[in-house]
Amino acid sequence: MNDQNITWHNQKIGKQDRWLKNSHKSALVWITGLSASGKSTIANELERRLFQCHINTLILDGDNVRHGLSKDLGFTEKDRKENLRRVGEMAKLLVDAGILTIAAFISPYNEDRMMIRRLFHDGEFIEVFLKCDLSVCEARDPKGLYKKARAGEIKDFTGISAPYEQPEHPEIILETDRIPIDESIEIISSHLKNTGIILNGQYL
Ligand code: ADP
């Protein structure tokens, strides 16, 4: 692409101004794990609790972006990478807009998650690994996808016919095959409080 004629415009209202207005900071909570490990469930419960406390949030969900932003992409390694590149850029805009953004994506490759981490300042990218045994995910199978993958009806299915690389240094590990949903939410919200993204008294 020829971008010689495109210049970057600095804007007058910055992220810090938005943080002051909102009384909380923004960040990207990146939830990764196998299908059915609980990403959407935890993202939605976390958002509900944050929203109740007047915190500006938005969820970017893997299934949802594939209906719009990435509807031209499939599930090969190349397409997954492009999907996550787009999502990363969109998440950056949301974080710049002062929104505490929650992303729920299988995101099976370390390199792709690192690519997104690099878009953010230290502390702004919070990688949450849902560590859930494949057998538990497969037993849950809320969308019947594992059944289809085992029958060979879905190609490149993470955990069955495509790899999942466990995060090397995630900020948070949640063993969602052992701990209840509430405890997962508590662990994430404690991290948000301890790192000053949300204020102690702001979150109940
Ligand atoms: P994903 O978004 O990772 O594909 P979903 O959130 O759609 O996963 O589905 C996970 C399913 O597992 C949900 O039906 C959820 O209620 C269930 N579940 C049972 N126990 C837990 C737990 N401890 N943590 C998260 N999800 C759980």
Side-chain angles (χ1 to χ4, degrees), residues 50-130:
L50 293 170
F51 189 83
Q52 275 177 349
C53 303
H54 310 286
I55 291 163
N56 297 307
T57 63
L58 194 76
I59 295 177
L60 297 174
D61 184 278
D63 287 340
N64 296 355
V65 299
R66 283 183 174 276
H67 284 111
L69 185 72
S70 295
K71 75 174 176 192
D72 54 325
L73 300 176
F75 289 87
T76 61
E77 194 171 341
K78 184 164 169 273
D79 279 5
R80 285 181 196 256
K81 189 183 276 303
E82 173 57 14
N83 178 44
L84 293 181
R85 191 193 65 79
R86 293 179 193 178
V87 169
E89 293 291 344
M90 192 161 67
K92 191 167 163 47
L93 285 174
L94 292 170
V95 170
D96 283 346
I99 294 169
L100 184 35
T101 307
I102 306 164
F105 289 82
I106 298 174
S107 48
Y109 298 107
N110 263 318
E111 189 187 300
D112 297 344
R113 293 188 303 260
M114 284 301 290
M115 162 185 79
I116 297 169
R117 184 184 284 274
R118 280 194 293 271
L119 294 173
F120 293 88
H121 295 290
D122 278 354
E124 272 181 12
F125 180 83
I126 302 153
E127 189 173 32
V128 181
F129 170 37
L130 302 195

Side-chain angles (χ1 to χ4, degrees), residues 137-187:
C137 295
E138 202 164 349
R140 287 180 184 162
D141 205 11
K143 299 166 213 147
L145 298 176
Y146 283 98
K147 204 160 166 239
K148 284 190 185 167
R150 288 283 185 201
E153 291 165 32
I154 308 177
K155 267 180 49 190
D156 301 319
F157 193 77
T158 304
I160 306 292
S161 46
Y164 179 82
E165 296 173 1
Q166 296 203 359
E168 284 164 8
H169 304 291
E171 276 72 11
I172 299 173
I173 300 176
L174 302 173
E175 294 186 296
T176 55
D177 50 4
R178 289 167 201 268
I179 62 168
I181 296 164
D182 267 7
E183 197 174 327
S184 291
I185 304 305
E186 209 42 57
I187 294 170

